[in-house]
Amino acid sequence: MKFFAVLALCVVGAIAAPLSADQAATVQSTWASVRFNEVDILAAVFAAYPDIQARFPQFAGKDLASLKDSAAFATHAGRIVGFISELIALVGNESNAPAVNTLIGQLAASHKGRGIAPAQFNEFRTALVAYLQANVAWNAAVESAWTAGLDNIFGLLFAQL
Ligand code: HEM
Ligand SMILES: *[C@@H]1O[C@H](CO)[C@@H](O)[C@H](O)[C@H]1NC(C)=O
């Protein structure tokens, strides 16, 4: 019982820790420098984790280099990366918490229905962070701002998956 109470507190704690104004600005400005590289970002995720690519019926088993040039890939990349942009636009303002919850709730519901497990979302996170490290001006402050933001988002997501 105690264990679950502590666990529940941790989950709530993870959700309830908003980013500072500085952290939010850092996440938003670094994201602004790559947010339109949608195809590049999704391709980096698939390259790092072919098991994620394999879950997309349209893309499973196909050669990534040629997929990258297809309209279908661009459309999907736009949806997924665009979703991240929607979330990032909302961070740093507590009044946006309900909107963030709604978006994460939709993501959790649609992906739960597809049987996507937390482990695969963690892979996505790792690949996204690696992409950022390689493509934005990265330093310890940038890293801790992104860690805080992603911890919040993944905390909310995993509570609903
Ligand atoms: C981590 C592993 C993930 C897997 C395996 C996965 C898988 C999928 C699949 C199979 C679809 C349906 C594609 C289709 O219609 O043919 C989809 C749709 C979508 N995914 Fe993911 N996804 C993952 C992570 C994410 C993440 C991290 C985001 C956003 C941050 C995201 C956002 C979306 C969006 C916006 C759609 C389109 C709307 C919808 O159908 O829900 N996905 N995903
Ligand atoms: C925070 O969000 C609310 C509701 O969307 C908006 O009215 C307000 O202007 C925002 N505040 C800042 C500082 O952006």
Side-chain angles (χ1 to χ4, degrees), residues 39 42 59 70-81:
V39 164
L42 190 61
F59 306 137
S70 71
F73 191 83
T75 301
H76 264 287
R79 268 187 212 143
I80 294 174
V81 178

Side-chain angles (χ1 to χ4, degrees), residues 42 45-46 51-59 76 78-87 104 106-107 109-111 114-125 128 153-154 157:
L42 190 61
V45 171
F46 283 8
D51 61 292
I52 295 181
Q53 179 178 337
R55 298 304 299 269
F56 287 79
Q58 290 173 281
F59 306 137
H76 264 287
R79 268 187 212 143
I80 294 174
V81 178
F83 184 92
I84 298 172
S85 292
E86 278 186 69
L87 282 175
I104 298 291
Q106 289 165 353
L107 182 69
S110 68
H111 288 69
R114 298 183 177 107
I116 314 297
Q120 248 177 341
F121 275 101
N122 278 330
E123 290 177 347
F124 189 103
R125 174 178 177 161
L128 179 68
I153 287 174
F154 279 69
L157 178 65

Side-chain angles (χ1 to χ4, degrees), residues 26 30 37 56-57 59 71 76 80 95 100 103-104 113 120 123 129-131 146 157:
T26 297
T30 47
N37 304 350
F56 287 79
F59 306 137
H76 264 287
I80 294 174
S95 334
V100 170
L103 284 171
I104 298 291
Q120 248 177 341
E123 290 177 347
V129 170
Y131 184 89
W146 273 96
L157 178 65

Side-chain angles (χ1 to χ4, degrees), residues 2 8 19 30 80 99 109-110 116 125 134 143 147 151 156 160:
K2 247 185 201 157
L19 267 62
T30 47
I80 294 174
S110 68
I116 314 297
R125 174 178 177 161
E143 174 156 6
T147 299
D151 281 352
L156 283 170
Q160 298 177 72

